[in-house]
């Protein structure tokens, strides 16, 4: 009996030792896999996502945003957003200009070259970056933009970039039309420039400053304003009572806070960079410069058979990338059929008996301007508003159409906005009844590019809450979000409105409104994929495609 008991104990001990050995081996393998996985950073058409292994979120102490009251769900969402946007820039210490990324020395090669490709095939491109001494770089973090295009067909689409954190990048394209397709890769900012932009975002969010005029009778004073202000001087607190959005001005010496007349952009701080840092922001050298191919930069694509094409369309799914492409200068979304509104009567028919609200910055004001210019029956009603500021109103009495535009609340870099016209989008949405004849479009991004991301997340959280409430009480209301877009960049603009900043805002917007029940006009891809130069306010052909997509949501193709 005792012998059997001893054997049983011995067996249990051996089993326990074996289990410990297996556990150690598995842990070692997991650590190895984690190390391998974290070495690749995933980027979409113009931006970078860190891998899911990143833990620990650094919150910006700006304006006490790290102490704001959030629910557990809101805190978790914010942590997730901030983690997803941590750009992996190696801490290699000060880097001289000659050792920074040189687009003219860097090159790309098409990896899976073939005699021809079929529509729907994947094209892989390898990018190798080098410095100004023509030496290969050993780390990643550069900001690249990539697209394929066929100039004769006026066709284009964006690519997805993967940063391997060792000086090599791989770009993936989906070939979406037949013909000769060319690859274009651009360096928007070198790694060394991104480090500077990160520092400015974290340490100098006040580099754009705002002012307000206070006036009573013959006395007037102008003071500085912002989301928060330094020092211990007396302040006027203009924090919104409903949304809690903070806004402050230094208190005038002789006038009460209630005497505020207007709001306007004060200006941009100068002398933000050292001479060494300035070298990383040179037009014609390392800002939005092409990276040339080593070998062919184009492929030939042939059509698929009808059956294969049908299968291709079915397999795209909800996570389609890219979201669309240009062909003959017309945007073709890959998820749904977009209509062409080439005649003013088509737009009138679509918007008949509808009220259309446009809220946001000047990029959605372009929609108001396009519609009132293109549709003759849509007549602008003069409200006496400042030019390019608003609010604006247009009416088509014959067809019972009402079109409104209003800018979003501060921060906003417009010239002069009257104080009583500083309305927050969330509050405006709360005042809309909604219904099948109500259409809302929102664009809010550009004026937040200099602030820490927490400021933008808070603003979108308030807007999203109001959108959800609107759709709850009036489910048939159409709500459309216009995304950010790429723009022209020079040394100064890069410090305030870089595509790298706006990519971050664009990513946040997409994630926060995913699954909310709104439609998305992908202005980001629509500017990157087009052959025209990038502009903050895109050219009319791009705006026209944006409006066609917007109107297709309002009046979809009947099936």
């Amino acid at each position: 009996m005792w012998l059997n008991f001893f054997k049983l104990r011995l067996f249990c001990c051996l089993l326990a030792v074996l289990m410990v050995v297996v556990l150690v081996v598995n842990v070692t393998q997991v650590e190895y896999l984690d190390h391998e996985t974290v070495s690749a950073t995933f980027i979409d058409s113009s931006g970078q996502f860190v891998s899911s292994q990143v833990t620990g979120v650094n919150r910006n102490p700006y304006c006490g945003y790290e102490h704001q009251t959030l629910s557990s769900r809101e805190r978790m969402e914010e942590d997730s957003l901030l983690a997803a946007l941590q750009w992996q820039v190696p801490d290699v210490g000060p880097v001289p200009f000659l050792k920074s990324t040189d687009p003219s020395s860097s090159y790309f090669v098409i990896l899976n070259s073939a005699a021809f490709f079929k529509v729907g095939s994947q094209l892989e491109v390898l990018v190798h970056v080098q410095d100004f001494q023509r030496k290969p770089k050993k780390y990643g973090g550069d900001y690249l933009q990539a697209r394929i295009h066929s100039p004769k067909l006026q066709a284009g689409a964006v690519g997805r970039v993967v940063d391997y954190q060792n000086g090599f990048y791989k770009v993936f394209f989906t070939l979406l039309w037949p013909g000769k397709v060319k690859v274009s890769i651009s360096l928007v900012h070198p790694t060394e420039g991104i480090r500077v932009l990160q520092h400015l975002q974290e340490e100098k969010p006040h580099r754009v400053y705002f002012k307000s005029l206070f006036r009573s009778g013959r006395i007037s004073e102008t003071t500085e304003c912002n989301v928060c202000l330094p020092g211990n001087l007396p302040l006027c607190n203009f924090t919104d009572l409903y949304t809690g959005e903070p806004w402050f001005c230094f208190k005038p010496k002789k006038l009460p806070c209630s005497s505020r007349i207007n709001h306007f952009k004060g200006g941009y701080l100068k002398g933000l960079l050292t001479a060494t840092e300035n070298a990383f922001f040179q037009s014609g050298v390392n800002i939005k410069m092409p990276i040339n191919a080593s070998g062919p930069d184009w492929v030939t694509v042939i059509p698929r058979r009808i059956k294969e094409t049908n299968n291709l369309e079915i397999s795209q799914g909800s996570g389609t990338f890219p979201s669309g492409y240009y062909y003959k200068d017309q945007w073709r979304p890959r998820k749904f059929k977009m209509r062409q509104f080439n005649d003013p009567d088509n737009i009138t028919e679509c918007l008949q008996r509808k009220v259309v609200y446009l809220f946001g910055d000047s990029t959605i004001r372009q929609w108001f301007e396009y519609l009132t210019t293109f549709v003759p029956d849509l007549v602008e009603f003069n409200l006496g508003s400042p030019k390019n500021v608003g609010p604006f109103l247009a009416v088509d009495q014959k067809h019972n159409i009402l079109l409104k535009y209003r800018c979003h609340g501060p921060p906003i870099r417009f010239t002069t906005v009257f104080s009583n016209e500083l309305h927050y989008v969330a509050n405006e949405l709360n005042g809309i009844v909604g219904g099948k004849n109500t259409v809302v479009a929102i664009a809010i991004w550009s004026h937040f590019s200099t602030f820490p991301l927490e400021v933008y997340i808070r603003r979108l959280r308030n807007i999203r809450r109001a959108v959800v409430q609107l759709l709850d009480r009036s489910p048939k209301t159409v709500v459309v979000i216009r995304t950010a877009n790429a723009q022209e960049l020079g040394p100064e603009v890069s410090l305030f409105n870089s595509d790298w900043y706006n990519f971050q805002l664009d990513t946040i917007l997409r994630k926060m409104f995913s699954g909310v029940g709104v439609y998305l006009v992908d202005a980001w891809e629509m500017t990157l994929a087009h052959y025209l130069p990038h502009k903050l306010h895109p050219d009319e052909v791009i705006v026209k495609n944006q409006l066609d997509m917007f109107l297709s949501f309002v009046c979809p193709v009947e099936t």
Side-chain angles (χ1 to χ4, degrees):
M1 175 180 176
W2 289 106
L3 183 62
N4 291 336
F5 179 72
F6 176 76
K7 289 181 179 179
L8 181 62
R9 287 188 62 184
L10 181 63
F11 174 76
C12 291
C13 290
L14 291 173
L15 184 61
V17 171
L18 181 62
M19 290 177 66
V20 170
V21 171
V22 171
L23 180 63
V24 170
V25 171
N26 285 337
V27 168
T28 304
Q29 288 180 336
V30 169
E31 289 177 345
Y32 174 77
L33 289 173
D34 280 351
H35 174 74
E36 290 298 302
T37 306
V38 83
S39 65
T41 301
F42 295 94
I43 317 171
D44 96 340
S45 59
S46 298
Q48 181 168 327
F49 295 98
V50 296
S51 53
S52 59
Q53 283 70 28
V54 174
T55 58
V57 176
N58 294 322
R59 294 184 175 276
N60 195 300
Y62 177 71
C63 297
Y65 266 74
E66 79 275 27
H67 300 305
Q68 63 179 318
T69 303
L70 299 175
S71 68
S72 58
R73 178 176 293 182
E74 290 171 341
R75 179 72 63 178
M76 188 181 301
E77 178 187 46
E78 189 168 290
D79 287 347
S80 174
L81 291 168
L82 295 175
L85 287 167
Q86 289 186 37
W87 195 274
Q88 287 193 357
V89 175
D91 186 12
V92 293
V95 177
F97 171 71
L98 290 179
K99 291 187 178 295
S100 67
T101 306
D102 176 17
S104 64
S105 298
S106 305
Y107 62 89
F108 72 84
V109 293
I110 296 174
L111 290 180
N112 56 335
S113 58
F116 59 84
F117 293 82
K118 288 185 177 182
V119 170
S121 300
Q122 292 290 308
L123 181 67
E124 296 182 14
V125 173
L126 184 69
V127 183
H128 191 195
V129 296
Q130 300 187 134
D131 63 24
F132 284 89
Q133 296 174 324
R134 295 190 175 277
K135 294 181 179 179
K137 294 192 70 177
K138 302 299 183 183
Y139 54 87
D142 299 291
Y143 180 33
L144 307 179
Q145 290 176 349
R147 73 184 182 106
I148 50 174
H149 55 109
S150 298
K152 291 184 178 180
L153 297 173
Q154 296 178 307
V158 299
R160 187 186 300 276
V161 183
V162 175
D163 181 353
Y164 287 98
Q165 296 295 316
N166 58 4
F168 286 92
Y169 301 79
K170 189 175 283 189
V171 187
F172 297 89
F173 297 100
T174 301
L175 300 169
L176 296 166
W177 63 88
K180 182 178 178 180
V181 177
K182 185 178 180 181
V183 175
S184 291
I185 311 289
S186 296
L187 173 75
V188 182
H189 295 301
T191 309
E192 298 72 24
I194 295 296
R195 293 175 67 184
V196 175
L197 295 179
Q198 284 179 324
H199 175 75
L200 291 176
Q201 188 179 47
E202 295 164 0
E203 304 296 332
K204 297 183 179 180
H206 58 284
R207 59 193 182 279
V208 176
Y209 56 95
F210 306 88
K211 292 187 175 183
S212 274
L213 172 67
F214 296 78
R215 186 169 60 208
S216 179
R218 295 184 178 182
I219 302 174
S220 63
E221 295 181 60
T222 300
T223 70
E224 187 175 336
C225 308
N226 218 315
V227 174
C228 65
L229 294 166
N232 298 313
L233 293 176
L235 299 175
C236 290
N237 186 352
F238 296 112
T239 298
D240 184 66
L241 297 176
Y242 299 98
T243 63
E245 292 286 354
W247 193 256
F248 300 89
C249 296
F250 285 122
K251 189 178 186 302
K253 294 179 180 179
K254 299 179 181 180
L255 296 173
C257 295
S258 59
S259 63
R260 183 174 63 150
I261 300 297
N262 61 26
H263 161 97
F264 58 95
K265 178 184 67 180
Y268 300 88
L269 292 181
K270 305 294 183 181
L272 293 169
L273 306 185
T274 65
T276 301
E277 291 171 334
N278 273 319
F280 302 135
F281 298 92
Q282 300 183 61
S283 295
V285 177
N286 51 16
I287 298 178
K288 284 205 174 181
M289 290 298 293
I291 294 176
N292 294 320
S294 176
D297 62 354
W298 58 273
V299 296
T300 299
V301 183
I302 62 173
R304 280 181 175 262
R305 295 192 300 269
I306 295 177
K307 183 178 179 181
E308 291 177 320
T309 303
N310 290 338
N311 291 337
L312 173 68
E313 295 300 320
I314 292 171
S315 67
Q316 288 164 1
S318 58
T320 303
F321 182 88
S323 67
Y325 62 100
Y326 283 105
Y327 190 78
K328 295 183 179 178
D329 240 359
Q330 293 180 353
W331 184 251
R332 296 186 175 186
R334 298 176 66 202
K335 289 185 181 179
F336 75 104
K337 179 71 173 177
M338 190 175 91
R339 296 176 58 187
Q340 300 297 319
F341 293 82
N342 298 324
D343 190 283
D345 290 340
N346 301 145
I347 298 178
T348 299
E349 182 183 359
C350 175
L351 297 181
Q352 191 166 1
R353 294 184 297 278
K354 287 181 171 56
V355 180
V356 182
Y357 298 90
L358 305 178
F359 296 120
D361 54 37
S362 56
T363 60
I364 205 164
R365 190 188 68 222
Q366 278 190 288
W367 290 14
F368 182 93
E369 294 163 350
Y370 178 91
L371 289 170
T372 53
T373 300
F374 186 67
V375 183
D377 290 338
L378 202 52
V379 179
E380 185 173 354
F381 188 85
N382 186 2
L383 298 175
S385 303
K387 185 180 180 181
N388 297 333
V389 175
F392 300 127
L393 176 70
V395 180
D396 178 350
Q397 290 186 321
K398 181 180 177 181
H399 301 97
N400 198 19
I401 301 172
L402 183 61
L403 176 67
K404 298 181 176 183
Y405 164 78
R406 179 177 287 280
C407 67
H408 63 73
I412 190 161
R413 303 175 201 153
F414 284 178
T415 50
T416 302
V417 185
F418 294 119
S419 299
N420 59 355
E421 297 294 357
L422 289 172
H423 296 194
Y424 289 91
V425 174
N427 292 339
E428 291 296 301
L429 293 172
N430 288 333
I432 296 174
V433 175
K436 65 178 182 179
N437 290 323
T438 301
V439 181
V440 175
I442 303 168
I444 179 166
W445 56 277
S446 180
H447 300 261
F448 289 81
S449 58
T450 55
F451 292 94
L453 298 176
E454 290 88 341
V455 177
Y456 188 61
I457 292 172
R458 177 173 190 158
R459 181 62 55 90
L460 290 192
R461 190 185 295 123
N462 281 320
I463 293 174
R464 182 179 62 185
R465 184 182 299 115
V467 167
V468 169
Q469 291 171 351
L470 172 60
L471 294 176
D472 278 347
R473 64 179 177 266
S474 302
K476 293 185 178 181
T477 305
V478 175
V479 180
V480 179
I481 307 291
R482 181 205 187 276
T483 73
N485 60 260
Q487 69 170 90
E488 69 277 20
L489 295 179
E492 185 174 26
V493 174
S494 295
L495 307 183
F496 302 96
N497 229 33
S498 167
D499 283 359
W500 183 74
Y501 289 137
N502 293 326
F503 159 73
Q504 294 179 308
L505 303 182
D506 186 69
T507 302
I508 290 171
L509 182 143
R510 291 169 190 266
K511 287 179 177 291
M512 290 189 68
F513 279 93
S514 175
V516 174
V518 301
Y519 298 99
L520 203 70
V521 172
D522 199 336
W524 189 260
E525 286 195 20
M526 294 170 85
T527 48
L528 287 179
H530 204 271
Y531 56 83
L532 285 173
H534 300 164
K535 293 182 180 180
L536 175 60
H537 301 111
D539 286 332
E540 185 175 301
V541 63
I542 299 176
V543 175
K544 195 264 184 191
N545 277 288
Q546 292 174 3
L547 262 299
D548 284 348
M549 193 169 185
F550 164 68
L551 293 168
S552 295
F553 292 137
V554 179
C555 306
V557 175
E558 294 183 5
T559 57

